[in-house]
């Protein structure tokens, strides 16, 4: 449901009166204090400035007095708010004008990527979306997911108003690079108040006859038919999303259980365990698309942005970018959601869920509880051996606890990978033994002929990865987070973050953290755990940093060798002062899990270079002792839901 912060919709006359009498900002302040608990002085000043300007805009006799006005509409399941809405009728049909308000006074164009500009925010220069794109994307979100807008044919007309910005000759904001976005949502600047009025009057000739803002606020969330059709056509025939063997069996179980849960109005939780290479994410995307195609409101959710961005990008084609992006959400988006607001939430990489949400980890109660609360059917894909930060709290026990607390039926199942591609469970077990995570029966058994190599020179490893990548753009370099990643150099390819001086080797961390994993020219960059977890490649070259070493016959870890910019172990030093044994044990597990995760991203092969020569030699000795088998027939392993019970 689209929820407003204000208690009621105002008419144009009431809005102007409230601004003139300085009542509106006070109401906004009180509402924010009540709902969020804090509001910055700069935000209050922003409201006062922008609302005063919009009051001037609305003081046009040709804009009907009974036009409806609303401000600060919160878009569901996001932290985004629509700044200003104007609702009315043009004599033929209903219209709502969406106005995105900006305080900016200067802008730089960014032509290397789509729909981005650079401006000063919060005291520093930042890359943000172009205001035309932002306004249009909000309109697209409302249209694609609001049943009343779809059924009643309410037309949404987005625009942006930068009241402090003065356009100039060859203006960067109006550059031809942004032509498509400007055509969908024009930008009005300082001195163009009459042009903005004319834009509003083009669509609002008469007042709001049908309570349009109320209709939008109370519209049921439902994916549009055009979105359903587009998603289905994109998935069909896409080999990357084809389900094989037990994946297909398990997908059908999950799909039918979701439909059954919605039909019977039975709140349900499904937990799927699965290690690396079992196809959890492929099943998640199939469930997302096909449940949406049944008219259900479904979202793909993950804490880590890497899989969200990559899978969203792979589904994009002729379909609108925003339509796809709105289906992929972060796990911190649900602390304000209503009970059963969504039909289905599909939680990928559930082990990465955090307790609190927000930039400062101060919002909400518990992400596991919040996603179960927010949906009728919640499915968790989880591998507890892939927890890689101190904040990762996703566990099967916690899911069971909150399922019971929220009176949800629990369905559990375990997906076990077959010997497929060229990797196998045997390789993962062998790797666990080598990393001394656990002793296994696979001390010297790597299963099928998985291509594992140890390099003495990282330059040679990079060359091999670059060569393999020429085949299909599915090979990448990865590294442990032992080198700083300063903000100032993150978009500069000449800034080489990872330097191994004794080999005259240097490489940048990935320049783009959104779709680095599939960008054609990013093979000569290195991804970290945060930009690669949840993704699969054909081959990976992993640089093992000084946080992992080999001494006296043991693989040891040293969390002090991690980069300061890595947040995975934030708080470990404080913990070490109070309880050094616990701190060491937690850090040790996270470091080993991190390299286990990095070294299982490659479906056909994994190459490594260790900065510690002794560790490199240890890996080579273990590799030489290992045996492989040329041919193993897959054995079917049952993955149907089991242990179904009511909590």
């Amino acid at each position: 449901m689209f929820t407003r912060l204000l208690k009621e919709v105002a008419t144009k006359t009431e809005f102007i009166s409230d601004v003139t009498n300085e009542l509106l900002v006070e109401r906004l302040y009180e509402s924010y204090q009540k709902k969020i608990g804090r509001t910055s002085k700069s935000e209050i000043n922003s409201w006062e400035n922008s609302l005063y300007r919009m009051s001037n805009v609305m003081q046009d006799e040709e804009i009907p007095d009974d036009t409806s006005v609303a401000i600060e509409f919160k878009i569901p399941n996001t932290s985004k708010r629509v700044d200003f809405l104007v609702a009315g009728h043009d004599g033929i049909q209903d219209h709502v004008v969406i106005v995105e308000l900006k305080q900016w006074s200067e802008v730089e164009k960014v032509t290397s990527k789509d729909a981005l500009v650079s401006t000063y925010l919060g005291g520093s220069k930042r890359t943000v979306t172009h205001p035309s794109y932002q306004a249009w994307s909000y309109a697209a979100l409302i249209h694609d997911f609001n049943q009343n807008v779809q059924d009643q044919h309410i037309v949404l007309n987005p625009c942006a108003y930068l009241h402090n910005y003065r356009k100039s000759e060859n203006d960067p904001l109006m550059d031809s690079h942004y032509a498509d976005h400007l055509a969908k949502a024009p930008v009005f600047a300082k001195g163009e108040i009459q042009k903005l009025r004319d834009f509003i009057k083009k669509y609002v000739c008469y007042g709001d006859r049908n309570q349009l803002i109320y209709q939008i606020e109370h519209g049921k969330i439902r994916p549009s038919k055009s979105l359903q059709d587009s998603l289905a056509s994109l998935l069909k025939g896409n080999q990357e999303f084809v389900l094989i063997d037990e994946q297909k069996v398990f997908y059908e179980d999950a799909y039918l259980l979701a439909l059954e849960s919605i039909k019977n109005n039975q709140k349900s939780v499904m937990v799927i365990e699965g290690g690396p290479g079992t196809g959890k994410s492929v099943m998640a995307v199939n469930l997302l698309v096909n449940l949406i195609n049944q008219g259900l409101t479904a979202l793909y959710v993950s804490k880590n942005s890497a899989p969200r961005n990559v899978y969203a990008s792979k589904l994009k084609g002729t379909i609108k970018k925003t339509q796809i992006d709105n289906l992929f959400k972060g796990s911190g988006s649900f602390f304000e959601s209503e009970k059963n607001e969504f039909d289905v939430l599909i939680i990928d990489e559930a082990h990465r869920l955090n307790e609190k949400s927000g930039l400062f980890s101060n919002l909400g109660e518990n992400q596991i509880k919040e996603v179960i609360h927010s949906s009728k059917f919640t499915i968790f894909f989880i591998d507890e051996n892939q927890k890689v930060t101190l904040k990762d709290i996703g566990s099967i026990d916690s899911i069971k606890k909150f399922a019971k607390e929220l009176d949800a039926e629990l369905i559990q199942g375990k997906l076990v990978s077959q010997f497929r591609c060229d990797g196998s469970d045997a390789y993962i077990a062998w790797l666990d033994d080598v990393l001394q995570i656990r002793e296994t029966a696979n001390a010297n058994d790597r299963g099928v002929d998985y291509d594992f190599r140890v390099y003495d020179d990282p330059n040679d490893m990079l060359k091999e990865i670059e060569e393999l990548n020429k085949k299909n753009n599915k090979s990448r370099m990865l590294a442990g987070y032992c080198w700083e990643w300063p903000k100032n150099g993150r978009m500069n390819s000449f800034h080489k973050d990872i330097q191994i001086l004794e080999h005259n080797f240097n490489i940048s961390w990935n320049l783009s953290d959104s779709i680095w994993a599939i960008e054609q020219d990013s093979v000569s960059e290195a991804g970290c755990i945060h930009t690669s977890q949840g993704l699969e490649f054909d081959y990976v070259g992993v640089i093992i940093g000084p946080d992992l070493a080999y001494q006296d016959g043991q693989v040891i870890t040293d969390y002090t060798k991690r980069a300061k910019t890595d947040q995975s172990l934030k708080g470990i030093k404080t913990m070490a002062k109070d309880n050094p044994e616990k701190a060491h044990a937690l850090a040790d597990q996270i470091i080993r899990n991190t390299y286990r995760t990095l070294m299982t991203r490659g479906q056909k092969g994994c190459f490594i270079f260790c900065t510690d020569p002794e560790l490199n030699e240890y890996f080579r000795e273990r590799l030489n002792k290992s045996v492989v088998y040329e041919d193993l027939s897959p054995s079917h392993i049952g993955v149907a839901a089991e242990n179904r019970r009511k909590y």
Side-chain angles (χ1 to χ4, degrees):
M1 182 179 293
F2 287 76
T3 307
R4 290 177 298 106
L5 284 171
L6 294 185
K7 294 180 180 178
E8 58 188 49
V9 177
T11 64
K12 163 198 158 179
T13 303
E14 291 167 338
F15 166 69
I16 294 172
S17 174
D18 283 353
V19 172
T20 302
N21 293 306
E22 299 181 345
L23 298 174
L24 199 52
V25 170
E26 287 303 313
R27 289 182 194 169
L28 274 174
Y29 175 76
E30 291 172 7
S31 183
Y32 264 70
Q33 290 295 107
K34 182 178 179 180
K35 287 178 175 286
I36 301 177
R38 69 182 192 285
T39 311
S40 68
K41 184 177 290 186
S42 62
E43 190 160 21
I44 295 173
N45 292 336
S46 172
W47 288 337
E48 283 191 306
N49 195 359
S50 292
L51 294 178
Y52 174 74
R53 299 302 182 96
M54 282 308 301
S55 175
N56 289 342
V57 171
M58 297 300 289
Q59 292 181 47
D60 185 305
E61 292 182 357
E62 294 180 12
I63 299 177
D65 291 341
D66 57 347
T67 296
S68 291
V69 172
I71 61 175
E72 294 292 315
F73 253 68
K74 183 180 178 296
I75 300 177
N77 196 36
T78 76
S79 59
K80 307 300 181 184
R81 303 188 300 271
V82 178
D83 291 331
F84 201 87
L85 298 178
V86 185
H89 199 274
D90 69 351
I92 300 175
Q93 61 190 127
D94 291 321
H95 287 267
V96 174
V97 176
I98 292 174
V99 185
E100 177 64 26
L101 299 168
K102 296 294 182 190
Q103 300 281 322
W104 306 348
S105 56
E106 56 183 276
V107 169
E108 292 180 10
K109 62 184 178 183
V110 177
T111 56
S112 58
K113 295 186 178 181
D114 180 49
L116 299 181
V117 294
S118 178
T119 189
Y120 281 93
L121 289 174
S124 62
K125 187 181 289 186
R126 298 185 183 179
T127 300
V128 295
T129 54
H130 190 284
S132 287
Y133 176 84
Q134 187 174 357
W136 169 79
S137 67
Y138 290 173
L141 173 60
I142 296 171
H143 176 268
D144 287 331
F145 292 94
N146 192 289
Q147 185 170 346
N148 284 349
V149 171
Q150 297 160 20
D151 293 348
Q152 298 174 32
H153 305 291
I154 300 172
V155 181
L156 306 174
N157 309 279
C159 68
Y161 183 29
L162 283 68
H163 46 77
N164 295 332
Y165 184 86
R166 204 176 285 278
K167 291 180 182 176
S168 59
E169 189 176 355
N170 298 320
D171 192 270
L173 197 66
M174 308 301 290
D175 189 82
S176 59
H177 178 68
Y178 307 114
D180 289 344
H181 304 298
L182 289 162
K184 295 174 184 175
V187 169
F188 303 101
K190 190 178 182 70
E192 296 184 329
I193 187 170
Q194 193 56 48
K195 289 184 179 180
L196 175 54
R197 286 172 176 163
D198 291 342
F199 181 80
I200 294 172
K201 290 186 291 183
K202 178 180 178 181
Y203 303 108
V204 181
C205 305
Y206 304 95
D208 182 5
R209 311 174 172 181
N210 297 317
Q211 296 183 299
L212 298 179
I213 295 174
Y214 177 89
Q215 295 299 327
I216 293 176
E217 179 184 2
H218 293 87
K220 179 183 177 183
I221 299 177
R222 185 195 71 179
S224 66
K225 186 65 169 64
S226 62
L227 176 58
Q228 295 175 37
D229 293 343
S230 298
L231 280 172
S233 64
L234 286 173
L235 196 63
K236 188 176 182 180
N238 190 332
Q239 292 300 311
E240 294 197 57
F241 297 108
V242 172
L243 297 165
I244 61 173
D245 299 328
E246 79 275 11
Q247 294 174 0
K248 176 65 172 173
V249 175
F250 201 85
Y251 158 80
E252 292 294 340
D253 281 337
Y255 177 73
L256 290 175
L257 285 167
L259 295 179
E260 185 181 298
S261 175
I262 305 303
K263 179 182 178 181
N264 297 331
N265 197 28
Q266 169 60 60
K267 193 175 186 69
S268 302
V269 170
M270 192 171 192
V271 182
I272 314 303
E273 294 180 75
T278 52
K280 299 186 298 294
S281 295
V282 173
M283 283 189 289
V285 172
N286 272 274
L287 283 168
L288 172 71
V289 171
N290 291 316
L291 289 170
I292 284 175
N293 205 35
Q294 290 296 317
L296 300 181
T297 305
L299 297 176
Y300 173 106
V301 180
S302 73
K303 164 66 172 64
N304 198 5
S305 63
R308 292 201 310 268
N309 293 329
V310 168
Y311 287 117
S313 180
K314 286 180 177 181
L315 284 176
K316 289 169 190 170
T318 56
I319 194 170
K320 294 177 183 176
K321 179 180 184 295
T322 312
Q323 288 181 311
I324 290 291
D325 289 345
N326 289 328
L327 300 175
F328 290 79
K329 299 295 180 183
S331 58
S333 305
F334 302 92
F335 61 90
E336 290 184 310
S337 296
E338 298 178 9
K339 181 180 179 181
N340 295 341
E341 182 173 336
F342 306 94
D343 292 322
V344 182
L345 292 180
I346 302 159
I347 320 299
D348 202 4
E349 303 286 310
H351 40 273
R352 294 297 316 275
L353 294 175
N354 291 172
E355 184 176 23
K356 299 285 187 177
S357 299
L359 184 62
F360 302 104
S361 299
N362 61 344
L363 299 176
E365 179 184 348
N366 183 289
Q367 290 182 356
I368 297 173
K369 182 178 181 179
E370 288 155 9
V371 293
I372 296 175
H373 167 81
S374 303
S375 63
K376 299 169 187 172
F377 185 85
T378 314
I379 181 166
F380 295 89
F381 290 98
I382 190 167
D383 177 4
E384 292 180 319
N385 290 322
Q386 288 195 52
K387 292 183 180 182
V388 294
T389 80
L390 287 180
K391 290 184 178 181
D392 293 352
I393 55 94
S395 70
I396 296 171
D397 285 344
S398 294
I399 295 170
K400 287 180 179 179
K401 170 192 169 186
F402 288 117
K404 181 178 181 180
E405 182 178 321
L406 296 170
D407 194 30
E409 182 181 26
L410 181 73
I411 306 108
Q412 283 184 259
K414 188 168 185 178
L415 180 67
V416 183
S417 65
Q418 290 182 330
F419 293 82
R420 63 182 184 85
C421 297
D422 288 328
S424 70
D425 291 331
Y427 165 69
I428 297 171
W430 176 79
L431 184 61
D432 283 349
D433 197 278
V434 173
L435 289 172
Q436 296 179 358
I437 292 174
R438 62 188 176 98
E439 288 188 8
T440 73
N442 293 66
N444 297 311
D445 180 0
R446 286 193 293 121
V448 296
D449 193 8
Y450 183 76
D451 192 355
F452 188 89
R453 309 182 201 175
V454 181
Y455 281 82
D456 291 319
D457 188 331
N459 292 288
D460 294 337
M461 184 169 73
L462 173 59
K463 287 177 184 177
E464 182 64 13
I465 288 293
E466 290 175 332
E467 191 63 31
L468 288 166
N469 191 63
K470 293 177 181 177
K471 297 178 182 178
N472 55 8
N473 190 35
K474 289 187 177 181
S475 298
R476 288 294 183 275
M477 291 288 291
L478 306 174
Y481 207 157
C482 298
W483 292 269
E484 301 298 332
W485 198 2
K487 288 184 178 180
N488 292 339
R490 288 190 180 179
M491 298 303 292
N492 183 0
S493 61
F494 296 104
H495 184 87
K496 304 300 182 182
D497 309 282
I498 301 172
Q499 298 190 21
I500 304 174
L501 299 180
E502 59 268 33
H503 292 282
N504 193 28
F505 177 84
N506 55 71
I507 192 172
S508 299
W509 284 118
N510 52 267
L511 301 184
S512 168
D513 60 2
S514 57
I515 54 171
W516 153 83
I518 57 175
E519 287 183 334
Q520 289 287 342
D521 57 354
S522 64
V523 64
S524 297
E525 303 163 9
C528 69
I529 185 64
H530 307 302
T531 56
S532 61
Q533 188 172 23
L535 302 177
E536 292 180 353
F537 307 94
D538 278 356
Y539 295 91
V540 292
V542 181
I543 300 171
I544 297 178
D547 57 344
L548 197 71
Y550 189 74
Q551 288 182 12
D552 301 325
Q554 296 293 318
V555 177
I556 62 169
T557 62
D558 184 352
Y559 68 81
T560 66
K561 303 298 185 183
R562 281 290 187 98
K564 294 184 178 65
T565 49
D566 179 25
Q567 299 295 303
S568 302
L569 294 170
K570 186 176 181 180
I572 196 69
K573 290 183 179 179
T574 302
M575 185 188 297
K577 292 178 181 178
D578 300 329
N579 192 335
E581 195 170 307
K582 178 183 176 182
H584 175 77
L586 282 173
D588 181 78
Q589 180 186 35
I590 286 171
I591 291 171
R592 293 178 199 270
N593 281 353
T594 296
Y595 284 113
R596 178 187 191 268
T597 302
L598 293 177
M599 295 169 70
T600 53
R601 296 307 88 197
Q603 291 299 290
K604 295 182 178 179
C606 172
F607 313 150
I608 66 165
F609 165 80
C610 308
T611 56
D612 174 40
E614 285 75 19
L615 184 62
N616 224 42
E617 185 57 33
Y618 164 72
F619 268 108
R620 178 174 284 105
E621 288 177 1
R622 291 297 301 263
L623 175 63
N624 291 337
K625 288 180 181 178
S626 66
V627 294
V628 296
Y629 306 100
E630 293 184 1
D631 181 39
L632 286 173
S633 299
S635 58
H636 179 74
I637 301 175
V639 292
E642 55 191 38
N643 300 334
R644 184 171 184 167
R645 59 185 179 273
K646 179 73 178 289
Y647 272 85

